[in-house]
Amino acid sequence: MTYVERVLDELKKKNPNEPEFHQAATEILTSLEPVVEKHPEYEANALLERFVEPERVIMFRVPWTDDNGKVHVNKGYRVEFNSAIGPYKGGLRFHPTVNLSIIKFLGFEQILKNSLTGLPIGGGKGGSDFDPKGKSDREVMNFCQSFMTELCRHIGPDTDVPAGDIGVGGREIGYLFGQYKRIRDEHTGVLTGRGLSYGGSLARTEATGYGLVYITEEALKMRGDSFEGKTVVISGSGNVAIYACQKAQQLGANVVAMYDSNGYVYDPEGIKLDIIQDIKEVKRGRIKEYAQRVKSATYTEGCKGIWGIKCDIALPCATQNEIDLESAEKLIANGVKYVSEGANMPSTLDAIDAFQKAGVVFIPAKAANAGGVGVSALEMAQSSQRIFWTFEEVDAKLKNIMVNIYHNMDDAAKEYGYEGNYVMGANIAGFMKVADAMMAHGIV
Ligand code: NDP
Ligand code: 2IT
């Protein structure tokens, strides 16, 4: 048994019933085989054993009252995974499927993603099994205030800086920030993704989707190609999906399909993004309505069929494991050339394997969606200096971050003899900096 196999084996024994965490750990640790072989001091110092164990796991009760006076109780989580290179940083997810396994996989991925940005941020993630869907603004506020009443004692601008993720956008960050400020009496950069009137950064809303398209654009450019005239399928219709669509369209792509958790719309004439935004951002409605408003579009109940639509570039931007082997095989059979992950871990391990074997350019989430947390780190920088950069300044820095990530993962893959394997490249490039810092800090 190799060192990596032993650590993975123990991780699964010590953390049973955490399949998503096992999946993320398997992908990451397997890629690190050649690195730990080259660095025997890592095993001698139990570096991987420490790397896979969160520094701190916080779980708490979140009681709140609905509009009818009924009391509900949800679970709250914050996993402070690794602070070797900076304060814990990562989003909060509010979705009924949230459990410890999901938060741990997200937190673990976040360590390497944040390292890849080149900025000083450690890895963390949190959230709740609360479902914001169908709740009134007042109910969401009640929930957020209760959630923050507990969370506020664990976070701070130099300690742990949460942000949004699925189900947590500008509205939720506002309520969370208001409660933090009230209890701690501090107006600081304790959360990112804040509104522009209270310390937020321009371009944070767009950052993940734009960043996803920028890194894909760089991959295209290196192969003498571009987004111009390409057919693109994007899953999801939330924050990441919407701004990925916007940037891809600006670069001349034809985005033909998007979905929400009920079903997908196919519009061969090109998605009218203003209508999607009206339905999803303004009305918080269902994507089904798009097909009622746009003649060229059709709606199909259920999500999976979206991957059967012929495209050159697929950008999964909804949730984990949305592309399984069967969906990957359909994409490949239809000639997909690029798959870049806007969501976290949207492809199963066997789907990734199929893409790589078929020669599809596959850019894994921790590289492809790092633009969101990258601009969050820029928001932290602006907050601590009490200044604001223009949209153009932030956007230029974002693009620079994404282009650098592309080349760092490409170089790391080549250095270790895995040219074009960006799963290896991103994991290795992200890990080296964290490993260096952990070694420097001694056994902690
Ligand atoms: P949003 O809540 O804004 O949107 C999520 C979208 O995905 C919605 O369209 C939602 O549909 C759909 N979705 C969620 N869960 C499921 C599911 N189980 N099955 C099918 N569809 C689903 O979230 P974001 O856009 O912020 O996040 C999307 C992905 O991107 C997540 O994986 C997140 O972790 C990742 N990410 C987000 C970043 C950010 O800055 N926001 C940064 C990096 C990664 P519905 O409307 O029906 O719920
Ligand atoms: O998965 C992610 O990188 C995010 N949800 C964004 C985290 C952040 O701190 O901006």
Side-chain angles (χ1 to χ4, degrees):
M1 239 191 203
T2 64
Y3 177 36
V4 160
E5 285 166 349
R6 187 162 49 73
V7 172
L8 263 176
D9 199 55
E10 280 193 12
L11 175 149
K12 288 176 188 167
K13 275 192 205 136
K14 282 188 185 172
N15 305 276
N17 311 316
E18 295 183 6
E20 292 84 4
F21 180 49
H22 298 174
Q23 184 181 337
T26 302
E27 187 227 88
I28 291 172
L29 294 194
T30 309
S31 325
L32 299 178
E33 286 270 14
V35 179
V36 298
E37 250 171 53
K38 213 170 153 181
H39 293 271
E41 70 275 20
Y42 292 169
E43 182 169 0
N45 287 281
L47 188 86
L48 289 184
E49 291 88 328
R50 289 185 285 132
F51 180 58
V52 300
E53 192 66 37
E55 289 174 17
R56 193 173 297 105
V57 175
I58 301 150
M59 294 197 268
F60 50 99
R61 174 170 76 199
V62 192
W64 60 280
T65 308
D66 70 20
D67 290 343
N68 299 316
K70 185 167 185 275
V71 179
H72 300 261
V73 180
N74 284 100
K75 285 178 181 291
Y77 302 89
R78 186 73 184 166
V79 173
E80 297 182 332
F81 222 120
N82 192 299
S83 61
I85 65 171
Y88 310 107
K89 180 84 198 86
L92 297 171
R93 176 177 291 190
F94 292 170
H95 194 272
T97 56
V98 162
N99 57 40
L100 186 60
S101 173
I102 301 269
I103 299 298
K104 280 177 71 178
F105 112 67
L106 289 164
F108 194 48
E109 281 277 304
Q110 199 83 41
I111 305 168
L112 300 185
K113 180 195 308 191
N114 293 4
S115 169
L116 284 170
T117 66
L119 296 163
I121 39 179
K125 200 85 188 188
S128 173
D129 58 359
F130 173 73
D131 186 359
K133 250 192 228 116
K135 306 289 190 302
S136 70
D137 286 354
R138 186 57 62 93
E139 288 171 330
V140 170
M141 184 189 80
N142 288 344
F143 175 80
C144 287
Q145 290 183 340
S146 180
F147 186 86
M148 184 53 86
T149 300
E150 173 60 33
L151 187 68
C152 75
R153 68 184 93 227
H154 307 289
I155 62 176
D158 294 316
T159 309
D160 183 358
V161 184
D165 194 80
I166 292 177
V168 177
R171 173 182 63 173
E172 291 74 19
I173 293 293
Y175 294 145
L176 292 164
F177 184 81
Q179 185 73 349
Y180 180 88
K181 183 170 71 59
R182 183 179 181 203
I183 299 177
R184 297 284 297 263
D185 196 18
E186 275 177 10
H187 199 300
T188 55
V190 67
L191 292 159
T192 59
R194 281 169 289 151
L196 298 177
S197 56
Y198 61 97
S201 173
L202 284 160
R204 175 62 188 89
T205 305
E206 293 83 355
T208 313
Y210 278 22
L212 173 67
V213 172
Y214 291 151
I215 197 168
T216 312
E217 186 188 22
E218 187 65 12
L220 283 153
K221 193 173 137 195
M222 288 300 124
R223 290 159 180 82
D225 211 341
S226 78
F227 265 98
E228 186 68 44
K230 295 288 184 302
T231 301
V232 178
V233 166
I234 299 180
S235 64
S237 48
N239 172 263
V240 180
I242 285 174
Y243 294 96
C245 179
Q246 186 172 81
K247 184 53 73 180
Q249 289 180 339
Q250 284 172 11
L251 296 179
N254 186 29
V255 179
V256 295
M258 292 179 86
Y259 72 46
D260 66 17
S261 57
N262 291 113
Y264 69 91
V265 289
Y266 173 55
D267 187 349
E269 289 182 10
I271 292 284
K272 280 93 194 147
L273 191 61
D274 53 335
I275 296 182
I276 295 280
Q277 286 182 286
D278 181 56
I279 297 168
K280 300 307 285 188
E281 291 183 336
V282 181
K283 295 185 183 149
R284 296 180 188 275
R286 309 310 305 159
I287 207 165
K288 189 179 188 168
E289 194 189 316
Y290 183 89
Q292 290 152 11
R293 290 169 62 175
V294 180
K295 274 213 185 91
S296 51
T298 52
Y299 173 77
T300 307
E301 198 69 29
C303 297
K304 243 188 125 174
I306 201 170
W307 307 118
I309 297 171
K310 188 174 165 55
C311 63
D312 305 304
I313 301 172
L315 304 176
C317 295
T319 194
Q320 64 276 352
N321 293 329
E322 53 177 322
I323 301 184
D324 57 10
L325 179 60
E326 193 190 335
S327 304
E329 283 170 346
K330 275 194 216 154
L331 283 163
I332 294 165
N334 282 328
V336 73
K337 298 281 182 305
Y338 294 80
V339 176
S340 295
E341 298 187 320
N344 284 306
M345 205 168 79
S347 314
T348 60
L349 293 173
D350 48 6
I352 297 175
D353 202 42
F355 288 136
Q356 291 182 327
K357 287 198 174 116
V360 173
V361 177
F362 177 80
I363 310 186
K366 64 176 69 66
N369 71 33
V373 77
V375 172
S376 277
L378 301 180
E379 183 174 332
M380 290 164 72
Q382 292 169 82
S383 297
S384 40
Q385 294 176 78
R386 265 85 179 157
I387 56 162
F388 295 104
W389 296 326
T390 63
F391 188 96
E392 289 69 29
E393 282 174 293
V394 179
D395 191 38
K397 288 180 202 294
L398 166 64
K399 195 164 189 180
N400 194 31
I401 289 170
M402 300 316 295
V403 168
N404 282 338
I405 292 176
Y406 176 82
H407 290 286
N408 287 342
M409 74 178 181
D410 191 52
D411 291 348
K414 281 181 190 147
E415 186 188 331
Y416 281 86
Y418 292 89
E419 183 163 356
N421 183 334
Y422 297 141
V423 173
M424 296 289 289
N427 285 328
I428 292 171
F431 178 72
M432 290 315 299
K433 188 171 155 191
V434 177
D436 271 4
M438 287 180 72
M439 289 299 286
H441 295 165
I443 308 298
V444 291

